[in-house]
Amino acid sequence: MPFRPRYTGLISKYKDRLPVSDDARPISLGEGNTPLIRLNHIPRDLGRDVDLYVKFEGLNPTGSFKDRGMTMAVTHAREQGSAAVICASTGNTSASAAAYAARAGMRAFVLIPDGKIAMGKLAQAIMHGAEVLQIAGNFDAGMRIVKDMADHAPVTIVNSINPYRLQGQKTAAFEIVEELERAPDYHCLPVGNAGNITAHWIGYCECAGKRSEHLTDACSYCGGNCRYASAIVGDRPTMIGYQASGSAPFMRGGPVQEPDTVATAIRIGDPQSWEYAWHASRESGGWFDECSDEEILEAQRWLAAREGVFCEPASAASVAGAMRDIRNGRIPEGSTVVCTLTGHGLKDPDVAIRQSGDAIKTIPAELDTVRRAILDKL
């Protein structure tokens, strides 16, 4: 039986399509290569004929899509001689930055909003040895401080304003095209800081060998010449971004001062990739929309109970929005739709447990009692 080469991460796999030097040593934890899962039950539940997939980024090493960008950002930071990285985070970025900094032998400083971070994510940052600074303010306040800090301390910012982050994250589009052997008709994503929808559009443009008219400065290395483009497919998808209603600056026409949602990963009122995301949406013929917390949590439950896929609440925004637009016909029947699930459900178990209701019942440790409880459910 022939052996396949060992997978060693997305930089090694896509080195000819990424801005890395020939002698760069990738800082990798085996990120990427996440499953594209075709949903079987939810399309039938909707009564619509669509091919609906989820790209489960929660199966990256630290449990979120952030690892795709972080391997690139930290690899470049170390190659440039940086001793430390810094980020503002609602949770996933801090976990990823801490892990990759530890892998590189670097220090990590993370600013998190006071009381607005899921415990699973905070635990990761702490265990990976990050210096965690909790500020009396939200993510947007932390981001402003981090951007100013570059002028006051020898640290590399690894939020998505770092263009190497977007370059790593674009590889999700490569993987989707490889598996489908085409681009999907529609790609739905949760939108918080808006870097991921931007990165996916860059990736799809490169797969189609087409130049994005408005994202040329998102990659300063190629100057908009798309020297990494490979023209694998002819078409690009319509890009759709869904926000939580309490944190929906794209729907409000400007920053939201006090963003609030159960989906902590997208609780961001002033997205740093605002212009890029607008251009990605418009160039693709797409749109932004919002979902209530109730819709998001319902989609999270449906995915777990109907499809066996447990994602964090922010991830479920993409499916909640897609379900609604499939029902109302905005996404037409016959379409191939991919929804990005940005993080694993174990990132925020408290939310899952709170909505479980009476799922856990205490009964006597007796065979007959257990038998009756089982038969009552069959």
Side-chain angles (χ1 to χ4, degrees), residues 105-332:
M106 300 169 67
R107 301 292 299 277
F109 298 90
V110 301
L111 273 64
I112 62 171
D114 183 15
K116 300 293 185 179
I117 180 172
M119 288 298 100
K121 302 171 189 180
L122 179 58
Q124 286 180 287
I126 292 170
M127 289 300 292
H128 288 308
E131 297 290 335
V132 180
L133 306 173
Q134 186 166 265
I135 62 169
N138 59 24
F139 168 85
D140 302 306
M143 194 68 239
R144 288 192 291 271
I145 294 170
V146 165
K147 289 167 73 174
D148 290 339
M149 190 57 62
D151 297 327
H152 298 278
V155 294
T156 297
I157 299 173
V158 291
N159 284 100
S160 58
I161 59 173
N162 181 325
Y164 287 88
R165 277 278 309 276
L166 301 185
Q167 286 294 298
Q169 287 165 215
K170 77 182 182 183
T171 61
F174 297 168
E175 292 177 7
I176 291 166
V177 167
E178 288 166 7
E179 285 211 47
L180 294 178
E181 299 183 339
R182 54 163 292 194
D185 299 309
Y186 295 86
H187 191 123
C188 306
L189 296 101
V191 173
N193 216 24
N196 211 23
I197 191 170
T198 303
H200 277 74
W201 185 240
I202 292 171
Y204 283 125
C205 286
E206 292 187 11
C207 285
K210 296 179 180 178
R211 182 174 180 267
S212 169
E213 294 299 321
H214 300 283
L215 299 183
T216 54
D217 61 341
C219 177
S220 59
Y221 336 98
C222 64
N225 294 322
C226 292
R227 69 182 179 90
Y228 303 113
S230 50
I232 297 170
V233 295
D235 297 322
R236 294 174 290 181
T238 298
M239 305 296 292
I240 311 172
Y242 297 107
Q243 298 200 286
S245 294
S247 302
F250 285 98
M251 301 304 296
R252 306 292 174 260
V256 174
Q257 295 304 315
E258 296 295 335
D260 186 35
T261 172
V262 70
T264 56
I266 54 173
R267 187 187 281 156
I268 295 171
D270 189 10
Q272 297 300 303
S273 295
W274 175 276
E275 290 295 330
Y276 291 154
W278 270 121
H279 290 313
S281 174
R282 288 167 177 162
E283 283 183 7
S284 72
W287 61 87
F288 291 100
D289 208 337
E290 62 187 278
C291 301
S292 68
D293 280 0
E294 291 73 22
E295 289 175 307
I296 290 170
L297 293 178
E298 179 186 39
Q300 184 192 28
R301 289 193 300 270
W302 275 42
L303 276 167
R306 298 289 289 145
E307 302 287 357
V309 180
F310 183 29
C311 67
E312 68 172 323
S315 298
S318 64
V319 176
M323 287 166 57
R324 186 173 63 212
D325 283 336
I326 290 168
R327 282 194 191 103
N328 64 26
R330 197 172 190 186
I331 295 176

